[in-house]
Amino acid sequence: MPMLNVNGAELHYEDTGGTGEPILFSHGLLWSTRLFDPQVDALRGRYRCVAYDHRGQGRSAVPPVNAIDMETLYLDALGLVSKLGLGPCHFVGLSMGGFIGMRIAARRPELLRSLTLVETSADPEPLANVPRYTLLNLIARLAGLRPVADPVMRIMFGRTFLTDPNRAEERALWRARLLENRRDIWRAVNGVIRRNAVAHEVPHIRVPTLIIVGEEDVATVPAKAERLHQLIPGSRLTRLPRGGHSSTVEEPSLVNAALGSFLESQVRGPAVSSQTA
């Protein structure tokens, strides 16, 4: 279990190695490196794929703070890129991973070859969500994830994945992974609920950017992706016909096709036009 001390925290990471251009994968809230297994499997033959667990999640250390804020996670990502010698790299961030990727692209563009934002937003948590998410987080803190597993699954996955009778085994696997979260996951949840907007920063992003959103995402609705597309000059938007907030595992073939094509275009040349697929 490789660990790396970054900014005083032990972070778990997985590195396929190799001489290909590096890709750094940054997962969403409540999950881990496992969220990108289909993408790593598809890309590891050509790229050096590195995925890591944010502090307070997965196998990484949990800091004794009330909220693990996005600025801390941004600095962690910078430290990881530096210590592993990844820069400049392709960055793929889902949800909170996207919050981090946008900060890097806007502030430290020399560290990135490209940016892929999956199911994410440049805005703060919508006010309508805050009371519900705060209550769910409190219950999880006091009693663990089991009492809130059903509503959280409906937030994290789209209706196609949740209702397909042929995917019952997959749903059971991801529910089990959800329940593996330590009770102190509340610190990471607080960081997401209380995050600051970066909408004022993302218009400065100039690295080639791909935005991916599933039509069934209820946590970060497609309109948020459309807004990002308008804010980031020259970005490419791909709206998947299916998939919710965890589209990398719900619709891996669709995500892999969009991501693979985008990365290939960067190898051939960095020209990226603004379009919707």
Side-chain angles (χ1 to χ4, degrees):
M1 188 176 73
M3 303 289 286
L4 192 66
N5 188 285
V6 179
N7 300 324
E10 293 291 319
L11 301 184
H12 168 73
Y13 72 99
E14 298 175 9
D15 187 347
T16 65
T19 59
E21 292 182 356
I23 307 174
L24 183 59
F25 292 92
S26 182
H27 66 82
L29 182 65
L30 303 181
W31 305 119
S32 69
T33 59
R34 300 281 70 78
L35 199 63
F36 291 109
D37 281 349
Q39 289 68 51
V40 172
D41 287 345
L43 296 168
R44 63 187 301 156
R46 182 162 188 182
Y47 301 90
R48 176 188 176 189
C49 296
V50 179
Y52 72 102
D53 293 342
H54 301 299
R55 66 169 67 199
Q57 298 186 74
R59 299 181 182 181
S60 292
V62 183
V65 296
N66 184 264
I68 303 173
D69 65 275
M70 295 305 115
E71 294 301 318
T72 296
L73 298 183
Y74 156 71
L75 294 174
D76 284 350
L78 295 185
L80 201 70
V81 169
S82 175
K83 290 200 171 189
L84 294 178
L86 301 179
C89 65
H90 302 283
F91 190 98
V92 180
L94 188 148
S95 193
M96 71 183 298
F99 306 156
I100 296 163
M102 284 182 273
R103 286 167 167 80
I104 298 174
R107 302 171 188 175
R108 297 292 306 276
E110 75 279 5
L111 296 179
L112 300 188
R113 296 176 185 268
S114 73
L115 173 67
T116 298
L117 302 171
V118 188
E119 318 295 347
T120 194
S121 167
D123 300 317
E125 190 62 44
L127 289 177
N129 291 346
V130 172
R132 181 187 180 207
Y133 289 178
T134 300
L135 177 60
L136 290 173
N137 198 30
L138 177 61
I139 295 170
R141 179 178 180 179
L142 296 176
L145 269 292
R146 191 170 298 278
V148 299
D150 288 343
V152 171
M153 287 288 288
R154 290 192 293 270
I155 293 169
M156 290 294 171
F157 298 97
R159 64 180 179 274
T160 298
F161 180 81
L162 291 174
T163 59
D164 186 344
N166 296 317
R167 303 187 74 175
E169 188 173 336
E170 286 181 80
R171 287 195 296 275
L173 172 62
W174 283 98
R175 183 185 177 91
R177 287 175 171 169
L178 176 65
L179 295 177
E180 287 173 359
N181 277 291
R182 297 163 293 202
R183 193 167 296 186
D184 51 19
I185 190 66
W186 62 269
R187 304 175 194 272
V189 178
N190 276 346
V192 170
I193 293 174
R194 302 174 188 176
R195 71 183 185 275
N196 293 323
V198 289
H200 61 291
E201 294 189 64
V202 296
H204 303 298
I205 292 175
R206 292 296 183 270
V207 301
T209 301
L210 170 66
I211 302 162
I212 299 175
V213 65
E215 291 293 340
E216 300 169 355
D217 190 348
V218 297
T220 307
V221 297
K224 295 290 186 179
E226 293 281 358
R227 172 166 156 78
L228 272 181
H229 180 43
Q230 295 302 316
L231 288 173
I232 300 176
S235 61
R236 176 186 299 180
L237 173 63
T238 297
R239 292 183 62 154
L240 308 178
R242 301 178 304 279
H245 198 58
S246 305
S247 59
T248 53
V249 295
E250 295 175 70
E251 298 296 338
S253 61
L254 296 178
V255 172
N256 289 356
L259 178 58
S261 174
F262 173 68
L263 292 173
E264 176 64 23
S265 74
Q266 303 316 306
V267 172
R268 293 196 306 267
V272 178
S273 61
S274 176
Q275 62 182 36
T276 301

